[in-house]
Amino acid sequence: MPIEVVRASAPVGAEIHGVNLVAPLSPEGFAEIERLFNEHGVVYFRRQFLSPGQLLDFTGHFGEQALNTFAETHGVPGHPGVVVVSNIEQGGRDIGVKRAGERWHSDMCYTAKPPRGTILCAHEVPVQDGLTLGDTCFAATHAAYDGLPDVMKQRIEGLRAVFDFAGRVRAVPVTPAQRAAFPPVTHPLVRTHPFTGRKCLYVMRDDCTGIEGMDAGAAQLLIAALADHIIRPEYVYRHRWEPGDVLLWDNCTVQHMAIQDYDLPLRRLMYRTTFAADQPPM
Ligand code: SIN
């Protein structure tokens, strides 16, 4: 069956039809998926229901895995690299990362080489009286850059943003081991996408704690202004999950946020993998 693509009515997001991710992927089939991934920033396939092992196999096509910060504490036993994202509790403990990604962010931006992409496979999706909850929103950082006035593009050219895992307020206190593992890093505030060459804004509230060479007050003002600009409605694709969805996003082209509008007894269960970038942001 030939691959068909249906674009979302947003600058990112496309559904790919005609692929069975459970079956082995040919090199040509994967090349087409990768091309669509680079072009659309967020791509998804319905009705796949990948097991953790199958999800790892699919992720492996993109190259080396990037171990997520939560892999040790919330990994699937026997499948290192597959993180459970869920609100489900079993025997009095959380089976996965709860309330993951509830603020706008780009995965592991506080590391020297953030992952190129992330994959989520939905197994359980909360539904209340026929209404699906727990959507995920994706903001197009290239469209947001393109939409800036020229004077702002000139102002931010060459700036580097500071990302400090320990420097922001977190729901769970930062451990000494995390502090040692994630020292502050800087990345270009305007990144060039390694495959498309498009310029993308790489700045967000919380994780981004400053701008190199700029005083704290001015930096916070600029970070807030750009962060708000990126998530304007015209740049956002909102994904309504169905059980069996496999969705991939590009951590340069998009920022994302998971909507936490559900709670137990409504259950949400996702498996997540991340794959590495070849190089640090440029
Ligand atoms: C995440 O930020 O990785 C979680 C996204 C989601 O659960 O929808």
Side-chain angles (χ1 to χ4, degrees), residues 150-159 214 218 222:
D150 286 345
V151 63
M152 181 58 103
K153 287 182 181 158
Q154 282 153 21
R155 165 140 170 69
I156 63 179
E157 188 64 39
L159 293 180
M214 194 178 284
L222 186 56

Side-chain angles (χ1 to χ4, degrees), residues 77-115:
H79 291 96
V82 182
V83 173
V84 180
V85 174
S86 183
N87 67 334
I88 300 172
E89 294 165 11
Q90 246 166 28
R93 64 174 285 272
D94 300 336
I95 67 160
V97 188
K98 225 176 187 169
R99 305 188 74 84
E102 61 184 326
R103 310 288 294 259
W104 284 102
H105 66 288
S106 177
D107 287 335
M108 298 178 71
C109 54
Y110 47 81
T111 59
K113 193 160 70 93

Side-chain angles (χ1 to χ4, degrees), residues 85 100-101 105 107 118 120 134-136 241 249 256 258 268 270 272:
V85 174
H105 66 288
D107 287 335
T118 304
L120 272 189
D135 294 354
T136 307
W241 293 94
W249 67 81
H256 62 285
R268 189 173 187 270
M270 308 266 171
R272 180 175 67 196

Side-chain angles (χ1 to χ4, degrees), residues 20 40 77 187 206 262 282:
N20 174 9
H40 297 290
H187 296 303
D206 303 332
Y262 59 93
M282 312 266 277

